[in-house]
Amino acid sequence: MQSLERRLERMVVGVFSRGSRMNIRPIELGRRLVREMDDQRSVDVKGRRVVPNDFTVQLSPKDFEGFAEISDVLQTELIEAAREYARSEGYHFMGPVKVELSVDTEQKPGRFEVLAALRQSSEAPGLGAGSLVLPSGQRIPLGDTPVTVGRLSESTIPLNDQNVSRNHAEIRPNRQNYVVIDLGSTNGTMVNGTRIHGETALSDGDIISFGSTYVRFEAS
């Protein structure tokens, strides 16, 4: 929660320094969002604590307009904050996290509502959400289609690294989780510093290395 507040407070400083007049501070949205996660958590058939991953923030027309300049960045920050909070609390999402700002003409300025729902991933039902975070910060969502890694330009993640083979590795779902498989590469694939052999299941926060490139796996 403290990390979430620091993240959104940095945004507040930038926005208010430009003279923007807001009735609602972004941190208020973040606090309400994680409160909805806490209030609506449940336990799935695997014993995991699952929480909403689809959020709609209903704002008055005036407040919606006030956020217009930073709406895209705000939504991205709220999504990242939700993921971070879920990891810290051991929560799981059933699909990608989405945050949408919408206009509610019945809402008074300075007030807002957050509608939260569990939306299962349409690509990998039952697995929950998963993604790979590249060194650039780019996020590659995982579904039921294998993600390939290698020097070939047609790879999902093409790497210009002489220590990486043309067809180096792939990440794909199995019945329970996501796994990484080395495809007989010359220099191997490592997970958390250990070279893998065969199929290796991934856990949230695992660091996968292909040559000199490091990728983080996030389960939510």
Side-chain angles (χ1 to χ4, degrees), residues 5-16:
E5 293 185 353
R6 287 195 299 269
R7 178 190 295 273
L8 294 179
E9 284 296 347
R10 285 196 298 270
M11 175 181 289
V12 168
V13 171
V15 172
F16 280 81

Side-chain angles (χ1 to χ4, degrees), residues 122-135:
S122 60
E123 294 187 336
L127 274 178
S131 58
L132 301 173
V133 182
L134 307 185

Side-chain angles (χ1 to χ4, degrees), residues 37-44 47-52 118:
M37 293 168 64
D38 288 333
D39 290 346
Q40 298 191 42
R41 66 181 183 271
S42 59
V43 179
D44 68 4
R48 301 178 304 181
R49 295 191 297 170
V50 296
V51 293
L118 281 80

Side-chain angles (χ1 to χ4, degrees), residues 23 129 174 198 213 216:
N23 296 306
N174 64 12
T213 302
R216 184 174 76 253

Side-chain angles (χ1 to χ4, degrees), residues 104-182:
D104 180 359
T105 56
E106 301 297 319
Q107 200 69 252
K108 296 180 180 180
R111 293 180 174 274
F112 65 94
E113 293 292 335
V114 174
L115 305 181
L118 281 80
R119 303 285 185 215
Q120 183 169 292
S121 170
S122 60
E123 294 187 336
L127 274 178
S131 58
L132 301 173
V133 182
L134 307 185
S136 64
Q138 179 186 358
R139 188 178 297 273
I140 306 295
L142 298 175
D144 57 359
T145 302
V147 169
T148 57
V149 181
R151 290 207 325 274
L152 292 175
S153 59
E154 58 264 32
S155 298
T156 311
I157 304 177
L159 298 176
N160 184 20
D161 183 339
Q162 292 304 310
N163 292 315
V164 172
S165 298
R166 290 165 58 83
N167 291 295
H168 195 100
E170 70 176 27
I171 296 92
R172 67 186 184 197
N174 64 12
R175 293 181 179 179
Q176 299 297 325
N177 44 32
Y178 291 99
V179 298
V180 58
I181 303 166
D182 186 83

